[in-house]
Each structure stands twice: as C-alpha cells, then as structure tokens.
Amino acid sequence: MVWSTAEMPDQSGRTALVTGASGGIGLETARALADRGARVVLACRDMERGLAAAARIGGRTEVVRVDLASLDSVRDAALEVRRRIDRLDLLVNNAGVMFPAYRRTEDGFEPHFGVNHLGHFALTGLLLGLMRDVPGSRVVTVASLAHRVAVAGPVPADVRTAGGYRSVAAYGRSKLANLMFARELQCRLADAGAETVSVAAHPGLSATGLWHDEAPAWLRPVSSAALRWLGQPAAGAALPTLRAATDPLVQGGAYLGPGGMSECHGGAVPARSSWASRDVIAQIRLWELSQELTGVRYARDAARRADRQPVVEAVR
C-alpha cells in the first residue's frame, strides 16, 4: 500500500512548528497537520504571507516571524515560541533558499549554508528543551536529492564564501549538511535518553517557489524539463515529510523520499543517501563547527563517540 495522508494518525493534542510554511511544501505540510487536528505554528520570514497562509489553512494555526538568515531573528523567534507554548511535539525544518540573490546572510555566512543549515541548527537547539521529555516528539529535517552533488560535508572554507561561488554546489553542500545534522542529532538524542527522535526526508522534484529566476541560466532549461516530466505538485512532494513526522513505524535516523523514478515523485518510502552523508567523523565535525558559528550548544548533549555505528535508515 502506498502511504498517503489518509494513513496519518489523529494529531489532536499535538503542537507542531513548520518553518517556511507560507507556501509550497511547508504550506502543504502545515495544512495536512492542521486538518488532522494539530495546533500548528507557521514559522515564516514574511508575516503578511504567513498570516494569509494561516487564514487559508484554518484550524488551530498561528504565525511567528523567523528569518533564518539572521541568528538574532532565530533567537527572537525561539523566545516567542517558548512564551506561547510549554511543549512541542513536532519541529519540521522545512524552509530553505536556492540560488538567492544576496551573497551573505546578516551574520556573514554563505546564504545556502547560513539559511538551510545554520538557521535550523540554531532554531532546533533553542527549541529542543520543549521536546526532549515529550513522548513521541520528532524533529524532521528536509534534505534534498541535491545532497548527492556534494562529495564531502561543508568545511570552514565554505562558510563565508561570497562572490564567485558555484551556487549549485553550495546548495548541494547545504542539503548534505541538513542530512548529516539530522543523523548526528539522532545519535546524540539516543545517547542522552531523550524521548525525541530525529528523522530526515526529501521531497523529490516539485515546482515550488525555490525554482525562481535566480537559478543559473544554464540550469533553467534543464530544471524546467525535469520538473515537467518528473516533478509533482507540492501536496505530493510533502508526503515524505508528513510520513516522517507522523508515521508511528518510522524510527529515529530514518530518511524518506518519493518511491518513483529516481526518487523524483511518488509515494513516501525509505530513500537512498550518499556515502558522504553517512561519514560519522564529518558529522561530528559539522556539529562542532555549527556550535561555534551559531553560539548555540545543545543542553544535555551526550558525549559522541567517533566509533559509533551509523544510525539505521529503515521504516519497520
């Protein structure tokens, strides 16, 4: 049986936060969770778009502003969330940029790495205290097929690269960082005995707002053809995220994606990942680098052994 939103358990009594929920896959993720009864916080950079999305979704939805390109904004958003709620069942790290027009974040980071990875690393660390002791709580981080473009995880030399960088490679490294972060987080949560698990997903190909005019000129005809023949609507692309977020059979450390041709479309199933994403030493180094750059250290962070076996990629 192909997994669909019809398989989603009732979400009544659960509180979820979804970044980038004003449009595309984030909006569809938030809509499905709200339709199942969850209280959903839409974490959006543009408050006007966020409020419009909340009005369309209905149910128990609310909006908090967060600009993942600014660590100050991330800290302010985390404070606001903690002011409003005392527990969080689900955090969906969905927002991202692809080929942005600006060349550095507010804090001086390369934008793909700064927004897609560091912003979510900081937000997760600042909110994890609301989740650690909540049975069934999950952190879902949205990666991408593009993680396979990167042959190694981000290193300090990549952090503030500005003019002249190759945006496709930079995007791929940031999505590899997302997947490495999700796996390292799972290991640390398990070592600490936390109730929370960490899961990753990727949407395949979908014609969302990330594919805009800032894409390199050589890539536009290629991406247009790929989206036309292999892509799927945002509602379909959200299925791996939704299964990762709600399926009780999904274990910590799982990675889900579409089951169709080349994992570009189709139902949500266990996905393949690159060798680089399973490099334990690189995961630890990325974690330490991320702590240094964001100033966010995770409370009750268990010591991590470099000889530990990689987490399991499976749905039982």
PDB file of all heavy atoms in Angstrom, residues 210-229:
ATOM      1  N   LEU A 210      11.164  27.713  -4.795  1.00  0.00           N
ATOM      2  CA  LEU A 210      12.626  27.692  -4.824  1.00  0.00           C
ATOM      3  C   LEU A 210      13.169  27.796  -6.246  1.00  0.00           C
ATOM      4  O   LEU A 210      14.275  28.279  -6.467  1.00  0.00           O
ATOM      5  CB  LEU A 210      13.154  26.411  -4.171  1.00  0.00           C
ATOM      6  CG  LEU A 210      13.064  26.322  -2.644  1.00  0.00           C
ATOM      7  CD1 LEU A 210      13.661  25.016  -2.171  1.00  0.00           C
ATOM      8  CD2 LEU A 210      13.776  27.485  -1.983  1.00  0.00           C
ATOM      9  N   TRP A 211      12.379  27.318  -7.218  1.00  0.00           N
ATOM     10  CA  TRP A 211      12.830  27.399  -8.605  1.00  0.00           C
ATOM     11  C   TRP A 211      12.386  28.747  -9.173  1.00  0.00           C
ATOM     12  O   TRP A 211      11.299  28.895  -9.682  1.00  0.00           O
ATOM     13  CB  TRP A 211      12.227  26.266  -9.432  1.00  0.00           C
ATOM     14  CG  TRP A 211      12.689  24.919  -8.982  1.00  0.00           C
ATOM     15  CD1 TRP A 211      12.033  24.062  -8.167  1.00  0.00           C
ATOM     16  CD2 TRP A 211      13.927  24.291  -9.323  1.00  0.00           C
ATOM     17  NE1 TRP A 211      12.783  22.935  -7.966  1.00  0.00           N
ATOM     18  CE2 TRP A 211      13.949  23.049  -8.667  1.00  0.00           C
ATOM     19  CE3 TRP A 211      15.013  24.670 -10.120  1.00  0.00           C
ATOM     20  CZ2 TRP A 211      15.020  22.160  -8.784  1.00  0.00           C
ATOM     21  CZ3 TRP A 211      16.080  23.785 -10.228  1.00  0.00           C
ATOM     22  CH2 TRP A 211      16.074  22.561  -9.573  1.00  0.00           C
ATOM     23  N   HIS A 212      13.249  29.736  -9.044  1.00  0.00           N
ATOM     24  CA  HIS A 212      12.905  31.077  -9.494  1.00  0.00           C
ATOM     25  C   HIS A 212      13.974  31.609 -10.442  1.00  0.00           C
ATOM     26  O   HIS A 212      14.881  30.897 -10.841  1.00  0.00           O
ATOM     27  CB  HIS A 212      12.691  32.021  -8.316  1.00  0.00           C
ATOM     28  CG  HIS A 212      13.826  32.022  -7.320  1.00  0.00           C
ATOM     29  ND1 HIS A 212      15.113  32.374  -7.636  1.00  0.00           N
ATOM     30  CD2 HIS A 212      13.839  31.686  -6.008  1.00  0.00           C
ATOM     31  CE1 HIS A 212      15.876  32.290  -6.567  1.00  0.00           C
ATOM     32  NE2 HIS A 212      15.137  31.871  -5.574  1.00  0.00           N
ATOM     33  N   ASP A 213      13.871  32.889 -10.755  1.00  0.00           N
ATOM     34  CA  ASP A 213      14.727  33.467 -11.791  1.00  0.00           C
ATOM     35  C   ASP A 213      16.195  33.587 -11.395  1.00  0.00           C
ATOM     36  O   ASP A 213      17.027  33.924 -12.235  1.00  0.00           O
ATOM     37  CB  ASP A 213      14.198  34.854 -12.182  1.00  0.00           C
ATOM     38  CG  ASP A 213      12.868  34.779 -12.902  1.00  0.00           C
ATOM     39  OD1 ASP A 213      12.563  33.697 -13.444  1.00  0.00           O
ATOM     40  OD2 ASP A 213      12.139  35.789 -12.915  1.00  0.00           O
ATOM     41  N   GLU A 214      16.528  33.330 -10.108  1.00  0.00           N
ATOM     42  CA  GLU A 214      17.918  33.420  -9.714  1.00  0.00           C
ATOM     43  C   GLU A 214      18.707  32.159 -10.078  1.00  0.00           C
ATOM     44  O   GLU A 214      19.915  32.114  -9.885  1.00  0.00           O
ATOM     45  CB  GLU A 214      18.020  33.670  -8.198  1.00  0.00           C
ATOM     46  CG  GLU A 214      17.494  35.033  -7.763  1.00  0.00           C
ATOM     47  CD  GLU A 214      18.257  36.181  -8.407  1.00  0.00           C
ATOM     48  OE1 GLU A 214      19.473  36.039  -8.635  1.00  0.00           O
ATOM     49  OE2 GLU A 214      17.639  37.215  -8.686  1.00  0.00           O
ATOM     50  N   ALA A 215      18.037  31.126 -10.531  1.00  0.00           N
ATOM     51  CA  ALA A 215      18.748  29.912 -10.926  1.00  0.00           C
ATOM     52  C   ALA A 215      19.736  30.246 -12.045  1.00  0.00           C
ATOM     53  O   ALA A 215      19.466  31.088 -12.900  1.00  0.00           O
ATOM     54  CB  ALA A 215      17.755  28.851 -11.400  1.00  0.00           C
ATOM     55  N   PRO A 216      20.903  29.589 -12.054  1.00  0.00           N
ATOM     56  CA  PRO A 216      21.869  29.844 -13.126  1.00  0.00           C
ATOM     57  C   PRO A 216      21.232  29.634 -14.493  1.00  0.00           C
ATOM     58  O   PRO A 216      20.401  28.735 -14.672  1.00  0.00           O
ATOM     59  CB  PRO A 216      22.961  28.800 -12.858  1.00  0.00           C
ATOM     60  CG  PRO A 216      22.839  28.495 -11.403  1.00  0.00           C
ATOM     61  CD  PRO A 216      21.377  28.604 -11.082  1.00  0.00           C
ATOM     62  N   ALA A 217      21.611  30.460 -15.450  1.00  0.00           N
ATOM     63  CA  ALA A 217      20.976  30.413 -16.766  1.00  0.00           C
ATOM     64  C   ALA A 217      21.069  29.033 -17.407  1.00  0.00           C
ATOM     65  O   ALA A 217      20.119  28.563 -18.037  1.00  0.00           O
ATOM     66  CB  ALA A 217      21.612  31.475 -17.671  1.00  0.00           C
ATOM     67  N   TRP A 218      22.221  28.355 -17.236  1.00  0.00           N
ATOM     68  CA  TRP A 218      22.386  27.045 -17.867  1.00  0.00           C
ATOM     69  C   TRP A 218      21.455  26.002 -17.266  1.00  0.00           C
ATOM     70  O   TRP A 218      21.118  25.006 -17.918  1.00  0.00           O
ATOM     71  CB  TRP A 218      23.835  26.578 -17.741  1.00  0.00           C
ATOM     72  CG  TRP A 218      24.275  26.300 -16.310  1.00  0.00           C
ATOM     73  CD1 TRP A 218      24.914  27.158 -15.470  1.00  0.00           C
ATOM     74  CD2 TRP A 218      24.105  25.081 -15.576  1.00  0.00           C
ATOM     75  NE1 TRP A 218      25.152  26.569 -14.259  1.00  0.00           N
ATOM     76  CE2 TRP A 218      24.664  25.285 -14.293  1.00  0.00           C
ATOM     77  CE3 TRP A 218      23.533  23.841 -15.872  1.00  0.00           C
ATOM     78  CZ2 TRP A 218      24.674  24.304 -13.310  1.00  0.00           C
ATOM     79  CZ3 TRP A 218      23.539  22.860 -14.888  1.00  0.00           C
ATOM     80  CH2 TRP A 218      24.106  23.088 -13.627  1.00  0.00           C
ATOM     81  N   LEU A 219      21.019  26.233 -15.999  1.00  0.00           N
ATOM     82  CA  LEU A 219      20.213  25.230 -15.311  1.00  0.00           C
ATOM     83  C   LEU A 219      18.718  25.361 -15.627  1.00  0.00           C
ATOM     84  O   LEU A 219      17.972  24.380 -15.515  1.00  0.00           O
ATOM     85  CB  LEU A 219      20.435  25.351 -13.805  1.00  0.00           C
ATOM     86  CG  LEU A 219      19.735  24.333 -12.906  1.00  0.00           C
ATOM     87  CD1 LEU A 219      20.188  22.911 -13.246  1.00  0.00           C
ATOM     88  CD2 LEU A 219      20.025  24.645 -11.437  1.00  0.00           C
ATOM     89  N   ARG A 220      18.278  26.543 -16.051  1.00  0.00           N
ATOM     90  CA  ARG A 220      16.834  26.772 -16.209  1.00  0.00           C
ATOM     91  C   ARG A 220      16.167  25.831 -17.200  1.00  0.00           C
ATOM     92  O   ARG A 220      15.134  25.238 -16.883  1.00  0.00           O
ATOM     93  CB  ARG A 220      16.585  28.233 -16.587  1.00  0.00           C
ATOM     94  CG  ARG A 220      16.937  29.204 -15.463  1.00  0.00           C
ATOM     95  CD  ARG A 220      16.864  30.646 -15.914  1.00  0.00           C
ATOM     96  NE  ARG A 220      17.606  31.497 -14.988  1.00  0.00           N
ATOM     97  CZ  ARG A 220      17.944  32.746 -15.256  1.00  0.00           C
ATOM     98  NH1 ARG A 220      17.617  33.292 -16.418  1.00  0.00           N
ATOM     99  NH2 ARG A 220      18.610  33.448 -14.366  1.00  0.00           N
ATOM    100  N   PRO A 221      16.704  25.636 -18.414  1.00  0.00           N
ATOM    101  CA  PRO A 221      16.038  24.690 -19.324  1.00  0.00           C
ATOM    102  C   PRO A 221      16.078  23.262 -18.821  1.00  0.00           C
ATOM    103  O   PRO A 221      15.140  22.493 -19.027  1.00  0.00           O
ATOM    104  CB  PRO A 221      16.812  24.861 -20.633  1.00  0.00           C
ATOM    105  CG  PRO A 221      18.117  25.465 -20.255  1.00  0.00           C
ATOM    106  CD  PRO A 221      17.840  26.330 -19.067  1.00  0.00           C
ATOM    107  N   VAL A 222      17.171  22.887 -18.142  1.00  0.00           N
ATOM    108  CA  VAL A 222      17.292  21.534 -17.594  1.00  0.00           C
ATOM    109  C   VAL A 222      16.261  21.323 -16.499  1.00  0.00           C
ATOM    110  O   VAL A 222      15.538  20.320 -16.474  1.00  0.00           O
ATOM    111  CB  VAL A 222      18.716  21.295 -17.043  1.00  0.00           C
ATOM    112  CG1 VAL A 222      18.814  19.915 -16.403  1.00  0.00           C
ATOM    113  CG2 VAL A 222      19.751  21.453 -18.153  1.00  0.00           C
ATOM    114  N   SER A 223      16.178  22.278 -15.567  1.00  0.00           N
ATOM    115  CA  SER A 223      15.239  22.133 -14.453  1.00  0.00           C
ATOM    116  C   SER A 223      13.805  22.198 -14.942  1.00  0.00           C
ATOM    117  O   SER A 223      12.933  21.483 -14.436  1.00  0.00           O
ATOM    118  CB  SER A 223      15.491  23.217 -13.402  1.00  0.00           C
ATOM    119  OG  SER A 223      15.277  24.514 -13.935  1.00  0.00           O
ATOM    120  N   SER A 224      13.545  23.032 -15.949  1.00  0.00           N
ATOM    121  CA  SER A 224      12.185  23.128 -16.479  1.00  0.00           C
ATOM    122  C   SER A 224      11.732  21.798 -17.065  1.00  0.00           C
ATOM    123  O   SER A 224      10.609  21.338 -16.813  1.00  0.00           O
ATOM    124  CB  SER A 224      12.131  24.226 -17.547  1.00  0.00           C
ATOM    125  OG  SER A 224      10.847  24.294 -18.124  1.00  0.00           O
ATOM    126  N   ALA A 225      12.608  21.169 -17.827  1.00  0.00           N
ATOM    127  CA  ALA A 225      12.261  19.874 -18.423  1.00  0.00           C
ATOM    128  C   ALA A 225      12.099  18.802 -17.356  1.00  0.00           C
ATOM    129  O   ALA A 225      11.161  17.989 -17.398  1.00  0.00           O
ATOM    130  CB  ALA A 225      13.339  19.460 -19.423  1.00  0.00           C
ATOM    131  N   ALA A 226      12.994  18.801 -16.372  1.00  0.00           N
ATOM    132  CA  ALA A 226      12.920  17.796 -15.308  1.00  0.00           C
ATOM    133  C   ALA A 226      11.645  17.946 -14.501  1.00  0.00           C
ATOM    134  O   ALA A 226      10.971  16.954 -14.172  1.00  0.00           O
ATOM    135  CB  ALA A 226      14.141  17.920 -14.396  1.00  0.00           C
ATOM    136  N   LEU A 227      11.284  19.187 -14.191  1.00  0.00           N
ATOM    137  CA  LEU A 227      10.065  19.417 -13.412  1.00  0.00           C
ATOM    138  C   LEU A 227       8.828  19.026 -14.204  1.00  0.00           C
ATOM    139  O   LEU A 227       7.853  18.506 -13.648  1.00  0.00           O
ATOM    140  CB  LEU A 227       9.988  20.885 -12.991  1.00  0.00           C
ATOM    141  CG  LEU A 227      11.005  21.321 -11.928  1.00  0.00           C
ATOM    142  CD1 LEU A 227      11.035  22.835 -11.798  1.00  0.00           C
ATOM    143  CD2 LEU A 227      10.684  20.685 -10.584  1.00  0.00           C
ATOM    144  N   ARG A 228       8.879  19.259 -15.513  1.00  0.00           N
ATOM    145  CA  ARG A 228       7.715  18.947 -16.361  1.00  0.00           C
ATOM    146  C   ARG A 228       7.499  17.435 -16.445  1.00  0.00           C
ATOM    147  O   ARG A 228       6.355  16.961 -16.382  1.00  0.00           O
ATOM    148  CB  ARG A 228       7.918  19.544 -17.752  1.00  0.00           C
ATOM    149  CG  ARG A 228       6.702  19.363 -18.671  1.00  0.00           C
ATOM    150  CD  ARG A 228       6.814  20.216 -19.918  1.00  0.00           C
ATOM    151  NE  ARG A 228       7.980  19.913 -20.723  1.00  0.00           N
ATOM    152  CZ  ARG A 228       9.061  20.677 -20.806  1.00  0.00           C
ATOM    153  NH1 ARG A 228       9.127  21.812 -20.105  1.00  0.00           N
ATOM    154  NH2 ARG A 228      10.084  20.332 -21.574  1.00  0.00           N
ATOM    155  N   TRP A 229       8.577  16.670 -16.558  1.00  0.00           N
ATOM    156  CA  TRP A 229       8.439  15.229 -16.785  1.00  0.00           C
ATOM    157  C   TRP A 229       8.509  14.400 -15.509  1.00  0.00           C
ATOM    158  O   TRP A 229       7.898  13.321 -15.444  1.00  0.00           O
ATOM    159  CB  TRP A 229       9.523  14.759 -17.760  1.00  0.00           C
ATOM    160  CG  TRP A 229       9.348  15.328 -19.131  1.00  0.00           C
ATOM    161  CD1 TRP A 229      10.125  16.286 -19.718  1.00  0.00           C
ATOM    162  CD2 TRP A 229       8.325  15.024 -20.071  1.00  0.00           C
ATOM    163  NE1 TRP A 229       9.656  16.593 -20.963  1.00  0.00           N
ATOM    164  CE2 TRP A 229       8.544  15.823 -21.215  1.00  0.00           C
ATOM    165  CE3 TRP A 229       7.236  14.139 -20.067  1.00  0.00           C
ATOM    166  CZ2 TRP A 229       7.727  15.785 -22.338  1.00  0.00           C
ATOM    167  CZ3 TRP A 229       6.418  14.091 -21.189  1.00  0.00           C
ATOM    168  CH2 TRP A 229       6.674  14.901 -22.307  1.00  0.00           C
TER     169      TRP A 229
END
